[in-house]
Amino acid sequence: MIAAHAPIEAEVQRAQTPLVRIVFLAIICLVASIAAGNRWLGWGKDYEHYIVAYNIISPTFLFGNTRFEIGYELTAWFFAVPLGLSFATFYTFLSFVALSVKFYLFERYLENPPLAAVAYLLLFYSIHEYTQIRAAVAISFGFLALHLLMERKWVYAALLALLSVSFHSSAIALISLGAAVVLMPRKITLAAVPASALILIVLSTAAGSWISSTFSEINPLIYNYIDNIAASEALNIFSVANILFAFSLIAMMLFNFQNRDEYTFPFMLLTLFGFAFLIAFRESPVVALRTSEIMMLSVVFAGFRLPVDTQVLVVRGVLLLNGAWITYRAVSEGTLG
């Protein structure tokens, strides 16, 4: 069992990192970043809003001039005013930062980094780096903070957690829940996390309006998200992608991933919470998707950690199949292409 104070032995021990692997990760990171910044794969859904906000940035930095968080606003102002660079260059930079942090984590902590990178691009690139760039950066810094927390590098973890939230406020959920599942003893976590997820679903059903009004006092944007049902596409909890995500998580549990490597345990629980948020806020699609999406990268860290055997191949096969399906849907719906 993992004691509350004991660091998780997270880093994969390798004799040497092949140069070809580093080059491969660097190339796909660079190409994917340039593609996102220059819209090589289509205009996308949120790009127009970002570019309009970038083009009206004031010469004097004024926080709150847009609805974006301080980290994003300050970085955008620096690129637009002192550097005088185009929005495409700014977007490319943010995409490169987001992807390079994730690929660094794959390289350091996972058994097969190139395959994990390919799975990530298929599963999440279209919705994160290509569409929700603030969330993409926040997720990268948030998961880096959690890995540093595993190694008990408290100061660095705290600074990165703040940086993560400064790009997207929904990272608060990732940081708080991630810290809980990393720091609590496994016996407590194993009971507390599923119970908390169930309580969240029950409370959201019984007291949804009270929850929305309470959160709206903290951040007025949340009410707009919750009250955005009519303007949002219907949320299908039983979509093909969600079913395949659920199947991959169930397979990990059946194959006892959490006992074969303690590193996978927190990420399996975060994936579970991603489903809980999806169900709890199903009547408010924007909130459900934002809170769920920021957790779901966990499935890559859990699924690509262990050395290959038949059971591991089943999980990875399902994740790659799901990625192919999500990318196909992104192309057909206009997120890509």
Side-chain angles (χ1 to χ4, degrees):
M1 294 299 174
I2 304 172
H5 60 276
I8 294 176
E9 296 296 331
E11 186 174 357
V12 174
Q13 300 299 319
R14 298 192 184 96
Q16 188 176 4
T17 299
L19 179 60
V20 65
R21 189 165 69 211
I22 299 298
V23 171
F24 172 79
L25 292 173
I27 289 174
I28 62 173
C29 179
L30 182 61
V31 171
S33 300
I34 296 173
N38 292 275
R39 301 287 99 179
W40 286 357
L41 304 175
W43 193 248
K45 295 181 179 180
D46 290 356
Y47 194 78
E48 183 71 33
H49 301 293
Y50 281 121
I51 197 170
V52 168
Y54 189 83
N55 289 335
I56 61 171
I57 290 176
S58 170
T60 302
F61 178 71
L62 298 171
F63 175 59
N65 202 32
T66 68
R67 65 183 179 86
F68 303 135
E69 291 82 356
I70 180 66
Y72 178 86
E73 282 201 0
L74 187 58
T75 308
W77 176 84
F78 182 73
F79 269 75
V81 179
L83 297 182
L85 297 173
S86 68
F87 180 70
T89 302
F90 170 59
Y91 200 108
T92 299
F93 170 78
L94 289 186
S95 297
F96 183 80
V97 169
L99 285 173
S100 60
V101 170
K102 289 163 185 165
F103 288 3
Y104 162 76
L105 293 175
F106 296 164
E107 170 58 37
R108 183 171 180 183
Y109 298 101
L110 302 186
E111 186 272 338
N112 192 324
L115 190 60
V118 170
Y120 174 81
L121 292 175
L122 290 172
L123 288 165
F124 300 112
Y125 172 75
S126 62
I127 194 63
H128 288 164
E129 279 76 16
Y130 209 84
T131 305
Q132 301 165 12
I133 190 61
R134 289 160 40 240
V137 176
I139 290 168
S140 293
F141 289 138
F143 276 93
L144 180 55
L146 292 183
H147 281 84
L148 292 174
L149 196 61
M150 287 180 174
E151 299 175 2
R152 302 308 188 252
K153 296 178 180 178
W154 310 106
V155 175
Y156 292 123
L159 291 175
L160 282 162
L162 291 173
L163 185 59
S164 173
V165 174
S166 78
F167 272 85
H168 206 289
S169 57
S170 62
I172 294 173
L174 172 65
I175 298 298
S176 57
L177 291 172
V181 298
V182 167
L183 297 177
M184 286 195 302
R186 179 178 290 199
K187 282 184 178 180
I188 296 175
T189 309
L190 196 56
V193 170
S196 299
L198 181 60
I199 291 171
L200 175 66
I201 294 171
V202 172
L203 282 179
S204 68
T205 302
S209 60
W210 177 84
I211 292 174
S212 64
S213 63
T214 300
F215 280 118
S216 298
E217 294 176 2
I218 301 172
N219 183 354
L221 281 175
I222 293 178
Y223 181 78
N224 294 332
Y225 287 156
I226 293 174
D227 199 42
N228 196 24
I229 300 172
S232 302
E233 296 179 2
L235 176 62
N236 180 12
I237 297 174
F238 299 103
S239 67
V240 173
N242 288 335
I243 290 172
L244 289 175
F245 271 129
F247 185 83
S248 62
L249 179 61
I250 292 170
M252 291 179 200
M253 293 177 176
L254 290 176
F255 298 150
N256 217 17
F257 271 42
Q258 68 272 25
N259 289 325
R260 294 166 63 185
D261 179 51
E262 62 187 15
Y263 170 92
T264 64
F265 183 65
F267 295 110
M268 289 174 59
L269 294 182
L270 285 176
T271 304
L272 177 62
F273 247 112
F275 283 111
F277 279 119
L278 197 65
I279 297 171
F281 296 107
R282 59 195 178 278
E283 300 299 326
S284 304
V286 177
V287 174
L289 290 172
R290 293 298 177 271
T291 51
S292 175
E293 287 165 357
I294 207 160
M295 302 284 181
M296 292 307 291
L297 175 56
S298 302
V299 78
V300 175
F301 289 107
F304 289 86
R305 165 70 174 188
L306 296 172
V308 173
D309 62 19
T310 303
Q311 296 172 338
V312 170
L313 284 175
V314 170
V315 173
R316 292 181 185 175
V318 173
L319 289 175
L320 290 169
L321 175 63
N322 199 9
W325 170 254
I326 289 173
T327 300
Y328 165 75
R329 293 287 295 175
V331 172
S332 63
E333 293 173 359
T335 304
L336 297 174

